[in-house]
Amino acid sequence: MTTLTDLTLAQARDGMVAGDFSALELTEAYIATLAAVRPLNCYLLETEDAARTMAQAADDRRARSEAGLLNGIPLAIKDLFCTKGIPATAGSHILNGFVPPYESTVTSKLWEAGAVMLGKTNMDEFAMGSSNMTSYFGPVTNPWSRAEDDAKLVPGGSSGGSAAVVAARGALAATGTDTGGSIRQPASFCGIVGMKPTYGRCSRWGIIAFASSLDQAGPLTRTVRDAAIMLGGMAGHDPKDSTSVNVPVPDYEASLGGDLKGLRIGVPKEYRIDGTPAEIEALWDEGVAWLKSAGAEIVEISLPHTKYALPAYYIVAPAEASSNLARYDGVRYGLRVDGETPQEMYENTRGEGFGAEVKRRVLIGTYVLSAGYYDAYYLQAQKVRTRILQDFQNAWEKVDAILTPTTPSAAFAQGEKMDDPIAMYLNDVLTVPASMAGLPAISVPAGLSSDGLPLGLHVIGRPFDESTILKVGHAIEDAADFTAVPQILAGGG
Ligand code: GLN
């Protein structure tokens, strides 16, 4: 029997439109799952009372024929989004006790569209990480496990709580943010769809900043159609974010379906990275074959500066982070650890408030921005960034979208790669170039690894052409027919 929590966002929307069930019934069905997903540590805060109130309001709006795009849809919100009157932690101890007096633009838009908030999700501290292991509030466990052992796996990061909770049916969909891969990589690890829109498509206002020139909000959903619907509720110009771009938001759902005739899909040879498991290469080839049979023309392309994207990212992102995180000093909000002098108070607060990965980034960032090193590192990385952008601009003369794998591996075990930051950073090798160039990209679950874990394919598009990557992603979803569910749902975990 299909339970309400098995429905996709599109099905739930249609069911509520048809009057098959109410928003309150749907929300209650999700609230009833909270106990079962609690061991995964996805939620930092469950807001079930607010959810019930919001669901009832959604039903009342429906009765008045005022239902918006996402009326009654129960969502989980990454704890990087400021939510008025509800704590936001960014996964960090330093924001201890911080209750935002305002609502982020993206979440405001979601509530205006009628969505319901189930809770705030766990994440890597300040969105720095690929495993959700850096959260002050402990790791998130991936609802999937390997066929041959029951080691606890990471959900990916930094939007690990959001990805795990959607995969485990603890929310219908969730918001994430992606700076170098933090929506797409956890989506791939958890067998769901994750989309990073074009930089500037969704407002960053009210989202706690990591690296401001890279951060972008996006949806984590169970299907491509759901991503299209939810993005429509998140996107749009916001005068409060000077990097938000004033371009119309199309009807993304309308772009789905039909064949891919006339579309040229690029396959970049530089993404064949040494050491990539054969099964990921094979899945990529399969993806190429699927798109070809859907009518697309496949074109081999070159993105020659790909190999410099990750090193440049790990200069630019920490540089911006070190500057953004300077505001956490114990003076106005969040944690304060007293000292004899103001200087000592800052040191004590930052020393206790930040975790090891955040401190590493602040140190790297401060170093690459300091006099004497600025030219050698930061400026050089900015030049590399321009080259990467130019590579993509050249590619757009030949192709309409680019297909790659999302990650160089499936989900790994909790605790793995923790003593080797470089191994951890390599998770982002396939997602970071699109981030550096500000391009939209989507990860779609496409197959299983030999040990039964989900693997995603990744489609990168032209600036503000989310519609094309949604269309291509939808074709992949159709061909892949990915129906596997995590053990937690199959009753095995
Ligand atoms: N894993 C990358 C990092 O640690 C990306 C994080 C993100 O996209 N927020 O920086």
Side-chain angles (χ1 to χ4, degrees):
M1 199 189 90
T2 312
T3 61
L4 288 181
T5 54
D6 284 330
L7 300 175
T8 65
L9 192 160
Q11 289 167 336
R13 172 196 62 185
D14 296 348
M16 287 188 283
V17 169
D20 298 342
F21 47 87
S22 67
L24 195 56
E25 283 166 326
L26 182 64
T27 295
E28 289 294 353
Y30 275 100
I31 290 173
T33 68
L34 292 176
V37 299
R38 219 164 272 148
L40 302 177
N41 200 24
C42 299
Y43 280 114
L44 293 178
L45 183 71
E46 296 168 1
T47 55
E48 49 174 279
D49 292 342
R52 288 196 179 97
T53 308
M54 293 169 97
Q56 186 57 57
D59 285 328
D60 295 345
R61 278 193 303 273
R62 171 102 47 212
R64 297 194 303 266
S65 304
E66 289 169 8
L69 177 74
L70 297 167
N71 200 62
I73 299 295
L75 300 179
I77 302 297
K78 185 178 185 179
D79 212 15
L80 201 61
F81 289 80
C82 286
T83 40
K84 189 174 179 179
I86 294 169
T89 68
S92 182
H93 186 36
I94 208 153
L95 277 162
N96 190 36
F98 172 59
V99 180
Y102 48 80
E103 186 78 27
S104 82
T105 296
V106 163
T107 47
S108 303
K109 288 174 88 72
L110 290 170
W111 313 142
E112 271 161 36
V116 168
M117 178 161 93
L118 287 167
K120 303 288 296 282
T121 57
N122 203 346
M123 50 177 288
D124 279 303
E125 186 176 4
F126 281 103
M128 298 171 189
S130 305
S131 64
N132 218 114
M133 296 292 293
T134 74
S135 168
Y136 175 70
F137 304 97
V140 172
T141 301
N142 193 322
W144 293 79
S145 40
R146 295 183 192 121
E148 69 272 25
D149 64 59
D150 53 10
K152 284 188 176 178
L153 304 180
V154 304
S158 63
S159 311
S162 289
V165 85
V166 172
R169 309 287 191 264
L172 185 37
T175 61
T177 62
D178 191 310
T179 303
S182 275
I183 290 176
R184 295 161 285 161
Q185 184 252 15
S188 179
F189 278 15
C190 293
I192 63 167
V193 174
M195 180 165 191
K196 181 194 94 76
T198 314
Y199 182 79
R201 181 57 102 177
C202 293
S203 170
R204 289 183 297 109
W205 194 82
I207 301 175
I208 296 167
F210 163 14
S212 307
S213 76
L214 296 151
D215 298 343
Q216 193 43 212
L220 288 135
T221 57
R222 293 191 210 135
T223 68
V224 173
R225 181 172 300 278
D226 291 1
I229 297 168
M230 189 166 159
L231 179 59
M234 298 172 73
H237 178 238
D238 177 13
K240 288 190 286 199
D241 170 2
S242 61
T243 59
S244 157
V245 178
N246 195 357
V247 291
V249 177
D251 177 352
Y252 294 118
E253 198 182 2
S255 62
L256 306 180
D259 61 32
L260 301 183
K261 285 210 180 69
L263 276 185
R264 299 157 305 166
I265 307 290
V267 178
K269 58 173 191 273
E270 292 81 3
Y271 278 61
R272 299 207 180 266
I273 290 163
D274 276 355
T276 304
E279 61 187 6
I280 289 182
E281 295 269 347
L283 184 71
W284 191 8
D285 293 341
E286 207 173 353
V288 167
W290 290 334
L291 296 183
K292 207 181 214 168
S293 51
E297 182 194 338
I298 307 296
V299 183
E300 180 168 302
I301 58 166
S302 174
L303 298 168
H305 298 89
T306 298
K307 69 169 182 250
Y308 304 113
L310 196 69
Y313 171 87
Y314 276 99
I315 291 172
V316 172
E320 295 184 18
S322 73
S323 159
N324 275 325
L325 270 53
R327 73 189 68 172
Y328 302 105
D329 55 10
V331 174
R332 277 156 301 195
Y333 53 88
L335 183 74
R336 175 183 301 179
V337 182
D338 283 328
E340 296 291 311
T341 61
Q343 179 70 31
E344 214 178 277
M345 187 276 284
Y346 302 147
E347 288 174 8
N348 292 346
T349 300
R350 289 170 69 82
E352 279 189 36
F354 289 138
E357 183 59 29
V358 173
K359 286 179 186 156
R360 177 164 24 243
R361 308 274 180 125
V362 170
L363 288 173
I364 296 172
T366 309
Y367 178 83
V368 300
L369 288 175
S370 56
Y373 297 107
Y374 183 92
D375 288 1
Y377 293 102
Y378 184 70
L379 209 60
Q380 197 65 18
Q382 294 290 29
K383 289 181 184 164
V384 169
R385 188 173 186 180
T386 302
R387 294 286 181 175
I388 291 161
L389 184 63
Q390 283 165 350
D391 280 359
F392 281 108
Q393 282 166 345
N394 294 338
W396 303 133
E397 286 171 17
K398 300 192 191 83
V399 297
D400 305 296
I402 294 170
L403 179 74
T404 79
T406 309
T407 54
S409 78
F412 48 90
Q414 288 179 356
E416 252 177 61
K417 304 183 204 266
M418 289 306 286
D419 49 1
D420 183 355
I422 307 282
M424 191 65 91
Y425 296 170
L426 278 169
N427 270 286
D428 308 317
V429 67
L430 303 169
T431 49
V432 146
S435 302
M436 292 292 268
L439 300 172
I442 189 169
S443 177
V444 179
L448 291 176
S449 70
S450 56
D451 39 18
L453 297 178
L455 294 171
L457 284 174
H458 182 222
V459 186
I460 306 169
R462 290 197 175 93
F464 297 99
D465 189 14
E466 285 84 5
S467 298
T468 296
I469 61 170
L470 284 161
K471 187 180 173 75
V472 175
H474 191 249
I476 293 173
E477 185 177 56
D478 256 4
D481 193 23
F482 184 89
T483 53
V485 292
Q487 286 78 354
I488 197 175
L489 299 175

